[in-house]
Every structure is written in C-alpha cells, then in structure tokens.
RNA sequence: UGAGCUAUGGUGUAAUGGUAGCACUACUGAUUUUGGUUCAGUCAGUUAAGGUUCGAAUCCUUAUAGCUCAACCA
C-alpha cells in the first residue's frame, strides 16, 4: 500500500490541528446553493470534503446555502442529494442555512447592540458609489452613525415587513477605507418579499452570504470549512464576524477550483447551453454535470479515482480531460461485459458453411476470472464492419482484403475469396471460406493471422440505436477564447447511429450494466429514451492505435 | 493603476535547505484471438534576474505573468 503518499496542504493543516489537540475529529460540510445542477467541479469538492472527514475520523454535513429565495428551488435540492449519494457519500446531517434564520437574526441584533452594524437607507446605487473602487477608498454613509436604539427599531421594522424591497439594508460597521473592499461596511441583510422554498412567507429579510455562511459553519461546529479561491477575500470578514459574535471558530481554507479541458463549468454558461438548446437538458450526456455524465455511463469509481489523481492546490488549473477518460476506461475495462455490435454492416457469406447455425461461446470479460460466458450464434451469413474491409489496403492494414485472412472473434479464421460489387463499384458482399479446424480455443489450423474482427450472425442479430458523443467544445478552454464561448461548440459532439446490429445476448441489456462493444468503446443503456427499443450511449471510445496511425498520413 | 492569492515537463501533482520523483498525454518496442488490456522504454520541467548558504524548486529582494475583489448573488 502507498501509505507513503504525501499530504496535500489541507491535510497538513488538519494533521497539525489534530496533533496540537485542537480537535479530536473533524467536521466538514458540502454547502451547495440549490439553484442549479452539480458538475465535475462540485464532484471534486464533494470528494474532498467527504474524503477528508472519512480519513480523519469525523463527518460531513450536507448544507444547502439557501439564503436567496428568488433563485432557489426544491427541484435542485433533490437532484443535488441524488448526485451526492450516487457518488457514494453519506452525509451525517441534511441541513439548511434557512434552518438558522432565527439564530442569524439574533446574531444581527447582537452586532447592532455592539454598535457593529447599522441600518442604511441608501439606494443600492448610492451604496455602490460610496463604496469606492479597488484603488480608491470609500466614504461613510450618512446613516452610519445612527444610534443603537434607532438601528434596533429600524431592523425590527424591516423584519416586520414595514419596508419594501431595497428600501433599507443592514450593514456591518467596519471601515470604509479598508483595502479589502469586502470590509467596507458589507451588507448583512436585505429585504426581499419573496417566497422561500422552505420557510415560505415567514421572512421578508434574508441574510447575505457573508452573514450566513460562516455562522452556519459555526453553529454546526464545522472545524474546516473548505471553499474555492474566490472566497479568499471573504476570509477576513468570515473571521471578523466569528470574533465579534464570539461563536465557535470554524476555519475557512481555500483551494483552487478545478476546471477540465474541452468543457465549461460555470453555472451561467451551463444554463445558457440548456436554455438555448445547444444540448437537450441538464442531464444531456455531453454536459459536464454529474447527472449528464452518469447518464453517459461514467461511474462513481471513475470520479473518485479522478479526484484522487488530480490532487489539490492553490493555483488555477485546467485538467486534461484525457485523465478523466483514463479513469473511466480503467474502471470500465474491469467491469464491462464484452459484446459484439456492428455499426455499418457489410455482408459476408461463408460459402463452405452449410448447416443452419452453430452456437459458440464468448467470455463476458477477460479481465475478470469470475465472469461467465455467453452464447454467440455463427452461421452462413454474417455482418462485419464495412471499414474492416479494404479493396486496396495500405501496408500495416491487419484486416480483411481480397485473398486476405482474419479471425472472427470467438469463432473461425476466414479467407476473402471474392468481392461482389454493384454497378457503381460499391462493395455489396464478401464471399469467404472458413477453416473449421481454426475454431477459437481449438485451433489446429496452424494459420497465423494479424487481425481479429467483431461480427454478428445475420438471422439472429438484433437492432439497436447508439449515440456517439464527443467533446462538447473544439477548443481546450472555451471560456478563454476570443468572442463567445458558444462559438466553439463542437458541431459533431453527437453522432447518431439509428440502426446497428448486435449479437442476441444484448437483448437482455440492463440499465445498471456497462458494456464494451468490442473494438468500439464502452456503452451503457440510456436511462430516458427506452421505450420499445435499445438505445445505448457511448461513454468513451477505446484507445485506437489504428486511428492514430491513419491520422499520421 | 490599490489590496490579496499563485507560479515545477504539453497536463496535473510531489520533493517541507541535501539525488527534481509520480501519474496522464505523446512517441518506441514486446505480448495479445479486441490495433483493447498488460509490460518495458523514450521525449520533456523548477517564470526571470540578483542575494543568503558548503548546498536553494524550497529562504530573501526585485521583476514578470496569471487569477480574485468595485452583486441588496453564492
């Protein structure tokens, strides 16, 4: 075992805290806002938070940061829970920032009592104006020096619904000249007469992120509160509030968000792809959402392995998608059932095969000794892949050509004797002879062939549809290109093969099962489009040395 | 142009003052009844310039580059 594996910087912090006796175990949380679907970026955060608490003996809460009623919905809560579970993690408590609204309100009162917060009647434009800029200090609001009593009165009236949206806010009283703009009297509470997905119409004032997040961490006794780099400037405020409120000191630690090449990850952009119909929904198999990739056939094991391998850092990264593809291939190679499917059929007649059908056996998975076998019918008329035959092959072409020999996987060696073409010279059928003594596993023919082809017997073949997905974008980093990211959408990200021919064993395909279509790639049944017919999504191709060889020319 | 964060092969990540290592990708070759898998190997890196030190990817200084901050979003 590789217990030698070095620690990342967060693990170092945790181990130091544990060693110093600061804590005996740790508490982390995964805090999504229920206003969208989870994506790969969230998956890495989930693996981090749950992975850490598991490693150091503690637990992780699932906490919804639901402090903005206008964007949040129960639909998102449900999909988020489903995704976290699917990734293989169990949260200790399912919590909501909205559970703490009363407590948070008390905290706000406490700040007012300590003369550390005040009600501001300015408009949002006025506040923005006085806030200054990154290079210019701000100026005090004219309402900054109201008395505690007035502030208390006003804030209670805000809660009571006496004012309209935007009329007043509660602000922390810190320092309008602070170099960190977040410390220039940040807004703590705003008025929103909106229906909340959990508290209904009970509240018309809602805490801002900074007033809610750290305090929620603290209420839950979260020891290590992990978030992404853009929250670094918030840490000062996070600590300030905890200190002034004199509550449990949760510690915020920031790490870099992990982007993946050839896709986009921001909620805004993903939403655009959905709304403008560039994809068919949040769970479109081309989307980097967890629901999309699940539908495409990615596995939780592959995600977790990916997160492990990617590691953790404090600089912005763009991870090569081929690492994710490696992880899913590695897992699927171990678990996928092998099946033969011909996408673009070319008829082969075995001229010396006369009986009806011979039943052969094929192993379900050569990587798994415990896997079984399935029966495969062989007969006089077969389909092979049209691209597996060439009239005038280049050198290093190991497949079928006039006079050439190949093995049919699990079956016999055949020789191509005759090529039948139509009047346009298009190949219609191949007439071949087979060598009965060359049967797979019992080969006494002494013939050596370079190539092995997949095939299906015609009379027993079943049909299916396959959907071949490719990367959604043509460039590595669509967000970083000139112009609109949507200009770089790959027009060929989805290729449909309406009718493909499969061996009969695939008739019993199951939703949870993963398949490797020999020489084609890994496939799984689509979860949505299933009425009356078999529809398979391609998760990822196999590595293809021949395709590479051809590309070089 | 103020403040903060970051900088190691194409990509991601180690080395915690003492041999720059691992993985992915790419490329060779071997094995193979999947041009898959497996195995062996190759290419390739400390942003720059100074300084401290017997010794610097690591500490210091300066520069450069990238990211973040001017939402009543999170």
């Amino acid at each position: 075992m590789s217990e030698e594996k070095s620690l990342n910087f967060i693990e170092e912090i945790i181990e130091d805290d544990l060693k110093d006796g600061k804590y005996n175990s740790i508490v982390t949380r995964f805090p999504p806002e229920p206003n969208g679907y989870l994506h790969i970026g969230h998956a890495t955060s989930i693996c981090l938070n749950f992975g850490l608490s598991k490693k150091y003996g503690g637990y992780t809460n699932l906490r919804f940061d639901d402090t903005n009623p206008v964007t949040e919905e129960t639909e998102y809560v449900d999909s988020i829970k489903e995704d976290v579970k699917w990734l293989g993690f169990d949260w200790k408590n399912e919590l909501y920032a909205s559970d703490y609204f009363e407590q948070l309100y008390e905290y706000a009162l406490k700040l007012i009592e300590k003369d550390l917060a005040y009600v501001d009647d300015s408009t949002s434009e006025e506040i923005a104006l006085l806030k200054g800029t990154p290079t210019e200090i701000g100026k005090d609001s004219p309402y900054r020096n109201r008395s505690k009593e007035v502030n208390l009165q006003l804030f209670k009236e805000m809660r009571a619904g006496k004012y309209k949206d935007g009329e007043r806010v509660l602000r922390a009283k810190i320092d309008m000249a602070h170099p960190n703009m977040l410390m220039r009297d940040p807004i703590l509470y705003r008025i929103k007469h909106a229906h909340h997905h959990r508290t209904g119409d009970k509240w018309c004032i809602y805490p801002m992120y900074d007033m809610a997040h750290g305090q929620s961490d603290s209420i839950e006794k979260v020891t290590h509160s992990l978030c992404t780099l853009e929250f670094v400037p918030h840490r000062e405020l996070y600590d300030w509030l905890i200190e002034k409120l004199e509550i449990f000191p949760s510690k915020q630690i920031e790490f870099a968000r992990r982007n993946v090449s050839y896709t986009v990850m921001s909620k805004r952009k993903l939403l655009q792809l959905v709304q403008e119909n560039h994809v068919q929904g949040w769970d479109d198999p081309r989307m980097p959402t967890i629901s999309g990739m699940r539908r495409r056939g990615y596995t939780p094991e592959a995600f977790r392995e990916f997160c492990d391998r990617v590691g953790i850092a404090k600089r912005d990264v763009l991870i090569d998608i081929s690492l994710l593809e490696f992880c899913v291939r590695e897992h699927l190679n171990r678990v996928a059932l092998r099946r033969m499917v011909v996408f673009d059929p070319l008829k082969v007649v075995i001229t010396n095969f006369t009986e009806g059908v011979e039943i052969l056996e094929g192993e379900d998975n050569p990587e798994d000794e415990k896997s079984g076998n399935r029966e495969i019918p062989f007969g006089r008329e077969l389909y092979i892949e049209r691209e597996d035959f060439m009239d005038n092959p280049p050198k290093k072409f190991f497949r079928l050509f006039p006079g050439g020999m190949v093995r049919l996987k699990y079956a016999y060696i055949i020789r191509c004797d005759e090529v039948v073409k139509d009047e346009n010279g298009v190949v219609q059928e191949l007439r071949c002879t087979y060598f009965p003594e060359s049967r797979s596993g019992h080969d006494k023919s002494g013939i050596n062939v370079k190539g092995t082809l997949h095939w299906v017997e015609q009379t027993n073949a079943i049909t299916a549809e396959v959907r071949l997905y490719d990367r959604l974008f043509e460039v590595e980093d669509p967000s970083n290109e000139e112009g609109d990211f949507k200009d770089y959408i790959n027009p060929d990200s989805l290729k449909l093969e309406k009718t493909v021919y499969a061996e009969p064993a695939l008739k019993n395909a199951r939703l949870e099962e993963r398949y490797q279509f020999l020489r084609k790639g890994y496939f799984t049944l689509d979860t949505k489009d299933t009425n009356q017919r078999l529809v398979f999504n391609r998760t990822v191709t196999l590595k293809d040395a021949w395709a590479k060889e051809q590309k070089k020319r």
Side-chain angles (χ1 to χ4, degrees):
Chain A
M1 301 307 268
S2 60
E3 295 305 327
E4 301 299 319
K5 201 182 171 203
S6 54
L7 304 177
N8 64 49
F9 76 98
I10 296 178
E11 292 170 326
E12 280 176 12
I13 292 171
I14 292 174
E15 293 203 357
D16 283 348
D17 288 345
L18 257 21
K19 194 160 43 170
D20 296 349
K22 203 164 162 188
Y23 313 108
N24 292 320
S25 67
I26 65 165
V27 179
T28 61
R29 100 270 92 113
F30 175 62
E33 185 191 11
N35 70 346
Y37 286 77
L38 261 28
H39 53 62
I40 305 175
H42 295 110
T44 57
S45 173
I46 291 166
C47 291
L48 216 213
N49 278 293
F50 283 90
L52 249 18
S53 67
K54 189 171 184 184
K55 176 171 179 180
Y56 292 106
Y59 61 85
T60 301
N61 289 333
L62 174 61
R63 183 179 72 237
F64 292 95
D65 246 343
D66 55 351
T67 55
N68 185 5
V70 301
T71 60
E72 294 152 7
E73 291 170 32
T74 307
E75 175 199 347
Y76 295 121
V77 170
D78 296 338
S79 82
I80 289 168
K81 283 162 64 177
E82 187 187 353
D83 287 350
V84 175
K85 270 189 236 161
W86 179 77
L87 278 172
F89 298 107
D90 298 311
W91 50 88
K92 168 93 169 186
N93 303 298
E94 177 183 334
L95 303 164
Y96 295 80
S98 52
D99 293 339
Y100 311 135
F101 280 173
E102 195 63 51
Q103 174 69 265
L104 263 16
Y105 176 78
E106 296 295 324
Y107 286 159
L109 293 178
K110 183 169 182 179
L111 289 174
I112 297 172
E113 303 271 7
K114 293 177 92 172
D115 198 28
L116 292 170
Y118 62 98
V119 172
D120 195 329
D121 304 356
S122 309
T123 64
S124 103
E125 293 73 27
E126 287 164 346
I127 290 177
L129 219 58
L130 289 179
K131 193 143 204 172
T133 69
T135 53
E136 260 175 276
I137 63 169
K139 293 190 189 68
D140 286 1
S141 159
Y143 304 96
R144 196 175 200 262
N145 292 312
R146 294 219 252 227
S147 71
K148 270 185 242 183
E149 292 68 30
V150 172
N151 281 322
L152 239 27
Q153 172 74 16
L154 256 15
F155 187 55
K156 285 176 180 167
E157 287 173 357
M158 279 168 64
R159 175 179 185 173
K162 193 167 174 191
Y163 307 110
K164 292 200 283 285
D165 287 9
E167 257 180 30
R168 288 186 160 82
V169 292
L170 182 74
R171 303 178 70 179
K173 192 192 275 193
I174 305 179
D175 179 6
M176 289 306 289
H178 202 106
N180 179 354
M181 292 197 69
L182 277 153
M183 298 297 276
R184 319 235 260 236
D185 291 10
I187 294 170
L188 266 19
Y189 263 90
R190 77 287 214 192
I191 299 170
K192 272 184 197 282
H193 292 272
H195 189 82
H196 187 278
H197 75 116
R198 297 192 82 238
T199 59
D201 298 313
K202 184 175 178 199
W203 293 87
C204 64
I205 57 172
Y206 292 93
M208 295 285 289
Y209 168 83
D210 291 297
M211 185 61 197
H213 197 100
Q215 290 77 344
S216 301
D217 285 343
S218 182
I219 290 167
E220 295 170 18
K221 302 274 194 292
V222 167
T223 54
H224 303 269
S225 174
L226 313 180
C227 63
T228 45
L229 245 31
E230 69 265 32
F231 291 98
V232 168
H234 290 255
R235 189 176 62 233
E236 199 169 6
L237 181 53
Y238 183 104
D239 291 341
W240 185 90
L241 283 162
I242 282 176
E243 182 201 325
K244 302 302 181 194
L245 257 12
E246 302 163 78
I247 54 181
F248 180 84
S250 298
K251 192 108 197 115
Q252 175 179 307
I253 302 167
E254 311 85 9
F255 62 91
R257 133 179 308 156
R258 287 159 284 185
N259 300 299
V260 176
S261 63
Y262 297 98
T263 189
V264 293
M265 216 71 98
S266 88
K267 270 184 198 170
R268 204 195 90 246
K269 293 193 176 103
L270 295 176
L271 186 64
Q272 258 185 78
L273 291 175
V274 172
Q275 285 179 340
E276 297 170 21
N277 293 316
H278 294 104
V279 294
Q280 287 160 16
W282 285 99
D283 64 348
D284 186 298
R286 292 166 292 182
M287 290 284 273
T289 51
I290 296 178
S291 49
M293 301 188 67
R294 173 168 63 228
R295 191 172 161 199
R296 180 156 165 174
Y298 272 77
T299 59
E301 288 86 345
F303 270 110
R304 285 189 244 119
E305 178 67 19
F306 174 71
C307 294
D308 260 15
R309 284 173 179 262
V310 161
I312 190 88
K314 291 188 81 163
R315 72 188 124 155
D316 294 299
V317 295
L318 182 63
I319 299 151
D320 198 331
I321 187 138
S322 59
L323 180 61
L324 222 204
E325 293 176 341
F326 168 83
C327 293
V328 75
R329 281 192 189 107
E330 185 184 52
H331 181 227
L332 260 19
N333 179 48
R334 294 199 310 267
V335 300
L337 264 27
R338 312 294 138 125
R339 295 291 183 262
M340 294 197 289
V341 180
V342 172
F343 287 13
D344 183 12
L346 173 60
K347 188 172 162 186
V348 168
V349 178
I350 308 294
T351 52
N352 60 337
F353 188 93
T354 47
E355 295 129 73
V357 153
E358 178 185 356
I359 302 298
L360 303 171
E361 285 221 316
E363 52 191 345
D364 279 330
N365 186 345
E367 308 295 321
D368 179 3
E369 289 172 3
K370 293 193 292 290
S371 78
N373 292 304
R374 86 280 189 184
E375 296 185 335
I376 308 167
F378 181 82
R380 182 177 162 86
E381 299 196 341
L382 316 171
Y383 289 135
I384 64 165
E385 208 70 66
R386 187 163 279 275
E387 65 173 17
D388 284 339
F389 172 81
M390 276 184 102
D391 225 348
N392 295 299
K395 20 179 199 298
K396 289 214 251 177
F397 183 80
F398 304 155
R399 308 177 185 185
L400 204 52
F401 51 88
M405 292 191 283
V406 293
R407 171 172 294 282
L408 296 178
K409 180 75 178 173
Y410 311 119
Y412 300 94
I413 292 174
I414 60 169
R415 184 185 62 220
C416 175
D417 303 318
E418 191 186 343
V419 181
V420 181
K421 296 179 185 173
D422 67 7
E423 61 272 23
N424 301 317
V426 179
V427 178
Q428 293 298 296
E429 109 180 18
L430 265 24
R431 301 185 70 83
C432 303
T433 47
Y434 86 115
F435 299 88
E437 68 280 19
S438 68
R439 199 175 100 220
S440 208
H442 306 80
D443 189 351
K444 299 183 206 70
S445 70
I447 304 170
N448 265 326
V449 291
K450 273 291 227 187
T452 301
L453 307 185
H454 63 278
W455 54 277
V456 295
E457 193 275 327
Q458 209 179 99
T459 60
N460 285 286
I462 62 170
T463 58
E465 174 178 324
V466 294
R467 296 174 182 172
L468 309 177
Y469 300 103
D470 197 357
R471 14 194 85 154
L472 227 201
F473 291 90
E474 293 175 306
V475 294
E476 267 202 329
D477 193 0
S479 310
N480 220 3
E481 294 284 339
E482 291 288 314
D484 189 24
F485 77 100
K486 296 195 293 304
D487 298 343
Y488 300 93
I489 291 178
N490 176 8
D492 301 317
S493 60
L494 168 59
K495 221 180 115 207
L496 276 185
E497 294 284 355
K498 283 288 197 187
T499 308
V500 299
Y501 298 86
E503 61 170 284
L506 221 36
K507 212 180 307 179
N508 308 315
R510 293 184 307 127
L511 225 43
E512 326 75 62
E513 202 67 73
R514 306 299 146 128
Y515 300 94
Q516 184 198 106
F517 294 174
L518 252 62
R519 308 205 299 138
K520 285 295 186 186
Y522 294 101
F523 290 78
T524 195
L525 228 35
D526 188 72
T527 48
K528 280 198 165 166
D529 210 343
T530 52
N531 16 328
Q532 326 294 333
R533 55 186 188 146
L534 294 171
V535 177
F536 290 95
N537 291 322
R538 182 174 71 194
T539 309
V540 67
T541 61
L542 256 24
K543 288 219 288 193
D544 189 346
W546 173 240
K548 256 182 214 165
E549 179 73 29
Q550 283 179 305
K551 229 180 263 177
K552 280 192 244 168
R553 315 185 52 209

